[in-house]
Amino acid sequence: MAEFDFEAVVVGAGAVGLACGYALSKRGLSVAVLEKEAAIGQGVSSRNSEVIHGGLYYPTGSLKARLCVQGRRALYAFLETHHVGFDRCGKLVVATAPEEAPRLEAILEQARTNDVEGMAWLTKAEANALEPELKCEAALISPQSGVMDSHGYMLALQGEIEAGGGAVVVATPFEGAEPLDGGGFSVRAGGEEPATLACRYLVTAPGLDAQHVAGEIAGFPKADIPAGHYGKGRYFRLAGKAPFSRLIYPPPIHGALGTHYRRDLGGQAVFGPDLIFVDALDYSVDPSIRGAFAAYIRKFWPGLPEDQLTPDYAGIRPKLHGPDEPQGDFRIDGEAAHGIAGLVALFGIESPGLTSSLAIGDEVAKRLGL
Ligand SMILES: Cc1cc2nc3c(=O)[nH]c(=O)nc-3n(C[C@H](O)[C@H](O)[C@H](O)COP(=O)(O)OP(=O)(O)OC[C@H]3O[C@@H](n4cnc5c(N)ncnc54)[C@H](O)[C@@H]3O)c2cc1C
């Protein structure tokens, strides 16, 4: 029987890798989470909308549909217990023109199939009674949607892993792994003090690096590594007073939920993200797109003062589809997918990955037979 340094090694200390580490630690395993950057949460988890999604849109039977709803319920409980900031402000999905109303009907039906609590149809007058500056023909209300402090969440997960005797090791890139005779893995970690660790279970949650990391695991079938694409989303911030207290979402665009409004925990209004496919990790926000952003926002907020809209940040989605392909599901690939016992590899953990993270952790544990 091999001696293991840790029972489980997780690659990547974003929200999902930390949630996987927490799930394994809760089951009594000793866990090491390896992070290549000098701090946790510097990847996709630090460049998103921080929205806790209700789980309205995702197709029946998909991992996204199930894990978003389960993850959201677990997340609110976790944030409350760990005193991490959140605002269960609710969300309005709005029809900005009469022809969008049938899309709201379809979203309402899908949300009910997905077991999303408290969904209701609002007339224009009912929506305006809640949000007087809103322009819409009709709306859906999702009372369980909200916003959160994603960094506070990741720190709380790190705290739980460490309290369980595990380690979150920064500035330590995963460089490869070889399966051991008799089970488990030998993991090569780089950084200032390169080391080799033996572990029984290996989980890879490296976000945008998922394809590269899987390629460094000896025996991982190359044909089972899905092609990756970068889906960039840009945000603008409003300098003035936030106009709405709830999240405001027009119907989704192809491949994403589309540019929406949120009031962040600091009380400021943020609009975004759009979706463009890019070849490189470039986080710049081109100020010249302000006019296009403003035109889109005016569909639901005619009172927007365009000169108060300033370029803010951008994030990049780890997508498994290109611009003209249908949007895919999360991939949580265990032994049945790649044939390697004790390994779970995550791919395409785009939105709603933050909301789903605790449920993804539990699903990973289940796929390891734990
Ligand atoms: C624009 C945008 C908006 C979004 N909005 C929302 C939202 O409102 N709500 C929601 O639920 N979801 C949202 N998401 C999705 C959500 O942000 C992601 O699903 C989630 O953050 C993914 O977390 P992760 O841990 O998988 O990835 P990451 O946070 O990227 O973490 C991966 C980590 O792995 C590390 N790593 C990579 N390679 C190695 C290596 N070789 N060795 C060690 N470490 C390595 C990276 O440095 C990184 O820290 C959004 C995403 C984007 C891009």
Side-chain angles (χ1 to χ4, degrees):
M1 170 71 90
E3 283 278 314
F4 295 115
D5 298 296
F6 290 91
E7 282 160 301
V9 167
V10 178
V11 179
V16 174
L18 290 166
C20 291
Y22 172 54
L24 299 175
S25 172
K26 265 196 314 191
R27 286 162 177 79
L29 271 62
S30 61
V31 174
V33 181
L34 307 184
E35 170 53 52
K36 70 173 180 174
E37 300 295 340
I40 67 166
Q42 303 296 297
V44 186
S45 301
S46 66
R47 295 176 164 277
N48 57 59
S49 301
E50 298 192 297
V51 169
I52 302 176
H53 285 297
L56 286 52
Y57 312 92
Y58 312 108
T60 309
S62 64
L63 286 170
K64 286 182 179 174
R66 177 164 63 84
L67 300 180
C68 184
V69 172
Q70 285 174 3
R72 185 238 309 148
R73 291 175 186 153
L75 184 59
Y76 277 123
F78 183 96
L79 298 178
E80 202 147 9
T81 321
H82 292 79
H83 308 290
V84 177
F86 70 89
D87 178 8
R88 200 185 311 228
C89 53
K91 146 168 144 174
L92 299 180
V93 187
V94 296
T96 59
E99 58 274 19
E100 284 176 355
R103 296 191 62 195
L104 294 199
E105 284 166 23
I107 294 169
L108 181 59
E109 201 181 318
Q110 188 64 57
R112 289 188 169 145
T113 306
N114 291 357
D115 204 18
V116 180
E117 308 87 333
M119 293 295 304
W121 183 273
L122 302 182
T123 61
K124 183 177 176 163
E126 287 167 334
N128 274 133
L130 295 176
E131 298 289 0
E133 292 201 46
L134 181 66
K135 175 181 172 288
C136 70
E137 298 297 323
L140 300 178
I141 186 159
S142 163
Q144 290 299 327
S145 304
V147 291
M148 66 181 280
D149 167 9
S150 54
H151 203 72
Y153 169 56
M154 290 188 276
L155 286 171
L157 288 169
Q158 175 179 9
E160 284 286 357
I161 294 166
E162 290 171 353
V168 177
V169 198
V170 297
T172 305
F174 167 92
E175 292 185 341
E178 285 80 38
L180 294 168
D181 292 341
F185 302 87
S186 170
V187 170
R188 279 176 285 116
E192 279 200 5
E193 292 177 34
T196 302
L197 301 172
C199 61
R200 184 187 298 274
Y201 302 108
L202 178 61
V203 176
T204 61
L208 292 160
D209 289 319
Q211 283 74 9
H212 171 74
V213 163
E216 299 300 319
I217 299 171
F220 199 107
K222 298 280 177 278
D224 291 336
I225 301 178
H229 302 268
Y230 294 152
K232 180 170 174 177
R234 299 165 291 187
Y235 293 85
F236 278 71
R237 189 170 289 269
L238 189 76
K241 184 175 172 292
F244 311 109
S245 59
R246 291 164 189 79
L247 295 155
I248 310 290
Y249 278 63
I253 56 172
H254 176 70
L257 294 184
T259 295
H260 56 261
Y261 160 89
R262 81 177 191 275
R263 188 177 65 180
D264 68 13
L265 290 179
Q268 277 201 302
V270 186
F271 298 91
D274 61 351
L275 172 61
I276 51 166
F277 283 83
V278 294
D279 296 325
L281 299 180
D282 162 18
Y283 293 104
S284 61
V285 180
D286 176 359
S288 75
I289 63 170
R290 185 170 81 166
F293 251 73
Y296 192 86
I297 296 163
R298 282 210 187 88
K299 288 193 210 170
F300 61 88
W301 184 32
L304 166 73
E306 186 176 329
D307 59 341
Q308 290 185 13
L309 213 48
T310 55
D312 204 20
Y313 64 101
I316 296 186
R317 306 163 178 92
K319 285 193 160 291
L320 298 182
H321 69 96
D324 303 320
E325 294 163 339
Q327 190 170 11
D329 202 0
F330 295 150
R331 280 205 20 199
I332 302 179
D333 287 6
E335 186 179 356
H338 49 60
I340 305 175
L343 170 68
V344 174
L346 304 182
F347 298 100
I349 310 297
E350 54 166 329
S351 190
L354 180 63
T355 308
S356 310
S357 49
L358 290 171
I360 293 174
D362 286 336
E363 184 69 22
V364 164
K366 203 166 96 189
R367 296 203 186 190
L368 290 171
L370 299 165

